[in-house]
Amino acid sequence: MAHCPAGRRGRPEEQRKPATYFGPTRAQGSSLSINALHRELLEHPDHRMRFLSIDGSQISKTFSEVHADVLQLMSELRDCGVEAGDLVGLMGPNSYEWVVADLALLGLECVSVALPAERRTQPGTVRELAEKYSLSAVLVTKALPVGSSLPEATGVLEERPLKFEKRAVPDDARPAISADVFSIAFSSGTSGTKKGLLMSKAGVENTMRVSAGAWEVTEDDNVLIVMPFSNFQQRYLMYTAVRYGLDATVVAPERMFQKLREFNPTIILGPPSFFEIAYNRVTAGSVREKLPYYVATALHTLPLGRFGRAVRARLGRRWMSMYGSRVRLMLTGSAPVPPRTVRLFQRLGAPLFEVYGSTESGWICFNLPRRHRVGSAGRPVDGVDVTLAEDGEVLVGTAYPQTLGYIFEGEETQQSVYLGPDKLATGDIGEFDRSGFLRLVGRKKNVIITRSGVKINPEELEEAVEKGCRITKAIVVSPGQDGLLSCVVWLDDPESAERRTEVESCVQELNRKRQSSHRMVDVLFRPAGELSVENGLLTRNLKVDRGAVMRKIFTEDIRGAR
C-alpha cells in the first residue's frame, strides 16, 4: 500500500496517513514484453489509430494494418544492417510513420533515441545529432529541404523502401547501456538544459499497468495524443493503447479543437493550456451568456449525485463540446494547474482531474473521479512511497522507476536525483494535507532567497496574480538575484490601459497583504502571442521556460516594453 509519511521533523501525525488510489481492475496487462508490442496489435486487429496532420491530411489504420506495416519496416531496416543494440534516432513531427518506426525499433530490440527536433530537420542537424549521440542510423518523418543531399545512414520514412548503410560506430564511442533500456528520451529542459533519460522496460511496463488500472480502460476508449512523440509521455500513451486495445487519435496541436468533435476521444491527457481555453471562454462571456454556468455552480453545491452531474454537464455543453461528446476522463499536469480551471470544469460536470508524475519516476499521484481534491496533485499511486525531505522536496520510492539514469546530457545532476536503489528526488516542493493529498508548492530550483535569507516560492505568488486578474500567464523572478521581485505578466493586449490598471491594482493588493520580502516591486507587461514553442519561451510540454524568460526579457530594454 502506498503511504505518504511526512518525512519532515515535527510534521503533524495526521500527515502520515496511508493513501491509495483505485488500483488495477479490468486491465491486468500482458505477458509479452515491450519489445513484442507490435505482436499485440493482432490481439485487437479492428481497433484504429487516426492521425490528423497540421496540413489537414488524415490517415486511419486498423491495428492489423499497422502490424503489417511494422513487419515491412523491420525487414527494410534489417536489410540496411540495423540490428539489436544499435542506437537509432527518430525525429520529426508526429505522424503515422513515427509510430510504425518506433514499434519496429522495439521489435528489432534497438535502442531508439527520440530526438527533440520536430521543426529542425536539416541535413546538418541530422549529421550533428548522429555523431553526438553515436547513432547507427537516423529515421526522419519529414523530407529534407528540396535540393538537400541525404546525410549518411538517414532514412526518410515517407520514402520507401528504405535504402541506406548504417554508420560504423567505434566500440569506444558506444555508450554502455543496460539490457533493461529500450529507448533514450530527452526532458523538455525547463531550466535551459535538457537531459537524456534511459527508459526502463520494466518501469514503462509498470506505468502502463498503473494507468490502465487507475483509469479503468476498456476497449471502448479512444485516447487523444497531441504533444510531440519526442516527449515520452505521448509514446507511452500509444503503447498503452496497443497493449490494452484502445483506439488512439493523434492530432497536431494547431488542429486540436477543429476535429475533436469528429474524433470523439474518451481520455484526454494534456497540459493546463488545453483546458484554460474553455475557462477563458466561460469567463469572457456576458452575464446572460454565463447563466448556465451560474446554475451549474449552484447545483454543484447540492448532493445530487449522478443526476446532478448529468444536469451540470448539459448546462456546460456549450463550452465543453469542443472536447467531443464522449470524454469520460480529462487529466492535466506537467505544469502548475490553476485550481480555478479544475473547479470550473467540475462545476460544469466535466471530468477534469490533476495528476502528478515525472519522466524519471513515472506516475506519483492521481486525482480520480471517486477520490479527488481541487488544488492538490492527488494521493500517491499504489506501490509508490511519497515522502518529504527536510526542505519539503518530494521524494519518490518505487520498485519500478521509469528511468535508470541520465545519459549524454544531465549526467552531472544524476546523484542529486537518483538517491539510491528505487528512490528519486523530484525537485518539487510539496506538503500533505490531513487526508493525504499532496499539494505542490513550487520547484526547488525556482526558490528565490532574499538578502536576509528568506526563501520565496514564486509559484505561490504567480498563482495569486493569475487568480486575481484576467491574464494569460504570470512569472515572478528576481532579475538581479538580490531578492527583489519582478512580476512578468502576459496579456492579449498589453497596451490596454484598463487591463494594465487591473493587474497593477491586483499586485498592489497582494503586496499589501504580504510581508515586505514577498512583495513584487515591478510589473512588466508582455504580449501573450510571444509565449510559444517556436520562440523558445515555452518548452515542448508547453511549460514556461524560466531561463528563456530571463535571457530574452531581461536582456531587452524592458522599461520600453512597459
Side-chain angles (χ1 to χ4, degrees), residues 409-461:
E409 294 169 281
E411 293 178 90
E412 69 281 357
T413 65
Q414 180 149 316
Q415 289 187 341
S416 65
V417 176
Y418 296 86
L419 303 181
D422 307 332
K423 190 167 186 179
L424 298 93
T426 64
D428 293 311
I429 304 296
E431 58 188 21
F432 285 108
D433 68 13
R434 294 186 177 186
S435 299
F437 285 89
L438 177 67
R439 177 175 173 267
L440 299 177
V441 177
R443 289 287 290 167
K444 187 174 179 178
K445 66 185 179 186
N446 295 338
V447 169
I448 298 170
I449 303 178
T450 68
R451 292 173 180 170
S452 59
V454 176
K455 294 182 179 180
I456 300 169
N457 289 307
E459 291 89 346
E460 293 183 303
L461 298 176

Side-chain angles (χ1 to χ4, degrees), residues 69 94 137 144 287 341 354 388 402 535 543:
D69 289 343
N94 286 4
L144 302 178
V287 172
T341 300
E354 186 173 356
L388 301 179
Q402 194 167 250
N535 71 7
K543 302 177 188 178

Side-chain angles (χ1 to χ4, degrees), residues 44-251:
H44 317 279
D46 297 326
H47 279 272
R48 287 190 169 271
M49 296 181 188
R50 298 177 179 86
F51 297 79
L52 176 67
S53 300
I54 189 172
D55 63 5
S57 60
Q58 295 187 39
I59 293 177
S60 179
K61 295 277 188 174
T62 65
F63 280 15
S64 178
E65 292 172 322
V66 178
H67 178 262
D69 289 343
V70 170
L71 292 183
Q72 176 60 37
L73 184 57
M74 289 173 65
S75 176
E76 293 176 24
L77 288 169
R78 287 193 194 97
D79 290 343
C80 293
V82 175
E83 57 189 351
D86 284 340
L87 272 65
V88 180
L90 255 174
M91 66 187 296
N94 286 4
S95 67
Y96 174 63
E97 290 79 12
W98 212 110
V99 173
V100 170
D102 193 22
L103 294 175
L105 293 175
L106 277 172
L108 291 173
E109 298 188 11
C110 297
V111 176
S112 62
V113 182
L115 301 167
E118 291 83 9
R119 302 176 187 274
R120 294 186 290 108
T121 311
Q122 299 286 339
T125 302
V126 176
R127 190 176 295 108
E128 290 168 8
L129 292 174
E131 293 174 357
K132 182 176 183 179
Y133 299 129
S134 302
L135 305 179
S136 295
V138 179
L139 306 178
V140 300
T141 65
K142 187 176 183 181
L144 302 178
V146 176
S148 299
S149 59
L150 203 65
E152 65 168 323
T154 302
V156 178
L157 290 166
E158 291 90 347
E159 300 175 6
R160 304 282 296 279
L162 294 181
K163 292 182 180 179
F164 61 80
E165 291 186 14
K166 77 174 188 178
R167 292 178 70 246
V169 180
D171 289 341
D172 60 358
R174 291 176 178 270
I177 294 178
S178 163
D180 186 40
V181 172
F182 71 94
S183 185
I184 295 171
F186 290 90
S187 68
S188 57
T190 55
S191 63
T193 57
K194 62 177 180 288
K195 298 177 180 180
L197 296 135
L198 295 163
M199 307 307 303
S200 160
K201 296 176 186 178
V204 174
E205 292 276 2
N206 182 65
T207 299
M208 288 192 278
R209 283 193 298 270
V210 166
S211 303
W215 304 345
E216 299 183 354
V217 301
T218 75
E219 292 192 349
D220 291 330
D221 278 317
N222 177 5
V223 62
L224 177 70
I225 297 172
V226 179
M227 306 301 289
F229 281 128
S230 60
N231 175 336
F232 183 76
Q233 184 184 81
Q234 315 308 307
R235 291 167 64 195
Y236 123 77
L237 289 175
M238 182 61 78
Y239 298 163
T240 303
V242 173
R243 168 64 52 83
Y244 296 101
L246 321 180
D247 285 350
T249 298
V250 182
V251 180

Side-chain angles (χ1 to χ4, degrees), residues 4 80 84-85 102 119 146 209 235 267 281 289 320 348 354 380 387 403 405 420 446 449 481 483 508-509 519 530 532:
C4 49
C80 293
D102 193 22
R119 302 176 187 274
V146 176
R209 283 193 298 270
R235 291 167 64 195
I267 299 173
R281 290 185 180 180
E289 290 170 331
M320 297 301 148
L348 293 174
E354 186 173 356
T387 59
T403 61
N446 295 338
I449 303 178
Q481 303 297 313
Q508 289 173 6
E509 180 62 18
R519 291 172 186 163
E530 75 174 2
S532 69

Side-chain angles (χ1 to χ4, degrees), residues 471-485:
I471 63 174
T472 299
K473 188 65 182 173
I475 291 292
V476 174
V477 294
S478 178
Q481 303 297 313
D482 53 6
L484 295 179
L485 305 180

